[in-house]
Amino acid sequence: GEVYYAYVNPIFSISKGYYSDESIGYTIVLCKAQGANSMIENVKLPSKSIFMLVDGSNRIVSSNRTDMRGKKLNNSLIRILYRNSIIEENTEVEYKGEKYLIYGSTIQNTEWKIYSMVKISELLTDIVQFKKKVIFVIFITVILLFSIGHIIIKSITDPVNHIITSLEQIDDLTNRKRIEIKGGNEIAVIGGYINDMLDRTELMTQKILDAQNALYMAQISETRAQISLLQSQINPHFLYNTLECIRSIALYYGVTEIVDISTCMGKIFRY
């Protein structure tokens, strides 16, 4: 047949607001052991862990270990549980050559207790596996962060290097070469401002060259005018001196007509 556990509680009568000393009956609650076993089997524990529901007489009411159900706690377990007072706290103990972490709790209004025994080696195995997973996740995260950082840095340094290279190639203000950066980020905006500055500089340089050319042409015209003036001054003097020479020769030979003509023409040139 099936195994049941009974909870018995006496019933007392009340007379004039007081309970009588003698019970008038009992309340008996029967609990099917299979129900407790089903609940315990649904508890997720490591494979070699022990979960026990123990009554007041140290009999194992239910357990995840089928070979322990219905049996009384052995003396070694009793000594471990009661010597260390395993109630409401985790305690490390040694049982059958293995180290366990035991936790105990008393069910309210009963003498029944719940104990869970987990092998520390299994806990450490889970911790090691978790640690490996954490290290793997950290490793992948570091690689991703490094890759993203490299991409971000490259997206900044490459346009900057391109700007520097382009500026090095613009060694002449008359060079129409300009910086070409695709995209709409800040570096592209800076490149656009540099291009605008080069355009304004080129326009200003062209204006300066035009002004210098105009000034140069003005200086040439002034020089030509001065030369023409000197030439206009030199020619009459030359002719006047020539006429004086002719007049002197005419005076020497006594040709008065040539002397008069030369004198008249000299006055005209002197005027």
Side-chain angles (χ1 to χ4, degrees), residues 56-99:
S57 60
N58 292 328
R59 183 179 297 277
I60 300 174
V61 177
S62 182
S63 174
N64 64 329
R65 301 275 291 274
T66 56
D67 58 332
M68 298 178 67
R69 294 173 185 173
K71 297 181 180 179
K72 295 196 67 172
L73 291 174
N74 55 42
N75 294 331
S76 60
L77 269 178
I78 292 175
R79 284 195 299 271
I80 290 172
L81 297 177
Y82 287 92
R83 181 180 59 196
N84 295 280
S85 300
I86 310 298
I87 297 296
E88 303 295 341
E89 63 180 13
N90 290 312
T91 306
E92 183 178 332
V93 298
E94 186 171 344
Y95 175 65
K96 291 185 178 181
E98 298 282 353
K99 289 186 178 180

Side-chain angles (χ1 to χ4, degrees), residues 236-254:
H237 286 289
F238 177 74
L239 292 174
Y240 177 74
N241 291 334
T242 303
L243 289 173
E244 283 294 323
C245 183
I246 293 171
R247 191 177 72 84
S248 298
I249 294 171
L251 284 174
Y252 179 77
Y253 287 103

Side-chain angles (χ1 to χ4, degrees), residues 105-226:
S105 179
T106 301
I107 299 177
Q108 190 175 6
N109 299 325
T110 69
E111 295 181 358
W112 288 22
K113 298 179 180 61
I114 297 174
Y115 295 104
S116 64
M117 300 174 60
V118 181
K119 288 181 67 174
I120 294 179
S121 60
E122 290 187 335
L123 289 176
L124 293 177
T125 301
D126 293 339
I127 292 174
V128 170
Q129 293 296 328
F130 178 74
K131 184 178 179 181
K132 290 181 179 179
K133 292 179 180 179
V134 170
I135 293 175
F136 177 75
V137 171
I138 293 175
F139 178 74
I140 296 299
T141 303
V142 169
I143 292 177
L144 289 176
L145 291 176
F146 179 79
S147 301
I148 294 172
H150 178 71
I151 293 172
I152 293 174
I153 293 174
K154 190 174 179 62
S155 65
I156 296 174
T157 56
D158 285 355
V160 172
N161 291 331
H162 179 67
I163 290 177
I164 295 173
T165 303
S166 299
L167 290 175
E168 289 175 350
Q169 294 175 354
I170 302 174
D171 55 356
D172 186 359
L173 293 177
T174 60
N175 189 350
R176 290 293 302 170
K177 184 175 178 61
R178 293 294 182 263
I179 300 172
E180 296 181 1
I181 298 179
K182 297 180 180 179
N185 55 16
E186 291 80 2
I187 305 298
V189 173
I190 293 174
Y193 282 128
I194 293 175
N195 289 334
D196 292 340
M197 182 188 67
L198 291 173
D199 292 338
R200 290 194 297 271
T201 303
E202 182 180 347
L203 180 61
M204 186 180 299
T205 302
Q206 187 62 41
K207 289 182 178 179
I208 292 172
L209 291 176
D210 293 341
Q212 289 179 345
N213 187 43
L215 179 61
Y216 178 70
M217 295 302 296
Q219 290 176 347
I220 292 176
S221 298
E222 182 181 0
T223 303
R224 287 178 177 175
Q226 290 176 353

Side-chain angles (χ1 to χ4, degrees), residues 4-39:
Y4 289 85
Y5 289 91
Y7 176 76
V8 181
N9 195 43
I11 301 174
F12 298 93
S13 63
I14 300 176
S15 177
K16 296 180 180 181
Y18 296 95
Y19 287 99
S20 63
D21 294 334
E22 296 182 358
S23 63
I24 60 175
Y26 294 91
T27 300
I28 301 175
V29 178
L30 295 177
C31 297
K32 195 174 182 181
Q34 183 60 33
N37 293 334
S38 299
M39 288 188 294

